[in-house]
Amino acid sequence: MTNLTSRRLANLPVCGLLLALFCLQGCTSPTGGGLISRRGDSIHELHLFVLPVALKSAEPGAHGGFAVRVFASSRAHAKGVPIRGGTLEILAYDGTPQLAASQTVKPDQVWAYPAVKLPSLAVSGSLGTGYELTLPWQGPRPASSRLSLVARHTGASGAVLLTSPVVIPNSLK
């Protein structure tokens, strides 16, 4: 019994090495020193992160606003990739996610960023390249107790990507 146990213990490092090699076989690193190849430029998904409190705004006519971060990802890269074309928009709805999900309801606020203006808003970190946006609320204050925010990217080809609505408490009332 002791001899069998010692053989099993002796095989543990070999099994661990084989398991590590098996798990790492699908991992790759980006080519070109972290630059994304032209084939990997397609954006397949957007990710929206919202600071759930209102910020004071110095802009005239603004009632405060929000800070958001938007990341675009591709199938070829796990981290956020730069948006090189089209327009990134943040849509705000005074109400619930069901209202925001409706294609027929007009947003209460829209902030638009053409791709040529995005590099100055880019931030890089552990999640890759993203965009940090401060969104001042213009016009009448929203009346509902909640706001829904959605990120939308319209590519040069007309293809549209949307995030799921992010619901935050309305602290602009």
Side-chain angles (χ1 to χ4, degrees):
M1 185 81 159
T2 307
N3 193 16
L4 181 59
T5 304
S6 64
R7 274 193 227 147
R8 285 185 184 163
L9 290 176
N11 287 333
L12 280 178
V14 174
C15 291
L17 179 61
L18 289 174
L19 181 61
L21 289 174
F22 178 77
C23 291
L24 292 175
Q25 119 184 4
C27 296
T28 59
S29 60
T31 58
L35 296 175
I36 298 166
S37 69
R38 281 275 158 232
R39 290 177 296 177
D41 284 348
S42 297
I43 297 171
H44 292 97
E45 204 168 3
L46 290 176
H47 310 276
L48 176 63
F49 300 94
V50 181
L51 184 64
V53 295
L55 304 173
K56 290 185 180 182
S57 178
E59 288 191 30
H63 301 291
F66 303 96
V68 302
R69 273 202 181 174
V70 179
F71 292 88
S73 61
S74 72
R75 290 185 182 124
H77 301 279
K79 293 186 177 188
V81 297
I83 296 174
R84 293 192 172 105
T87 302
L88 175 65
E89 296 173 302
I90 308 299
L91 315 172
Y93 297 89
D94 186 2
T96 64
Q98 292 80 13
L99 178 68
S102 171
Q103 296 294 322
T104 60
V105 177
K106 184 179 174 198
D108 293 282
Q109 293 278 305
V110 177
W111 297 270
Y113 300 90
V116 296
K117 294 189 177 186
L118 288 174
S120 65
L121 303 168
V123 292
S124 293
S126 61
L127 295 177
T129 300
Y131 301 93
E132 197 166 86
L133 311 172
T134 303
L135 312 171
W137 189 276
Q138 299 286 336
R141 292 176 191 255
S144 297
S145 62
R146 292 183 272 164
L147 297 172
S148 298
L149 300 175
V150 175
R152 174 173 65 192
H153 178 261
T154 306
S157 67
V160 176
L161 287 173
L162 293 167
T163 63
S164 296
V166 175
V167 180
I168 59 172
N170 178 7
S171 51
L172 297 175
K173 287 201 235 180

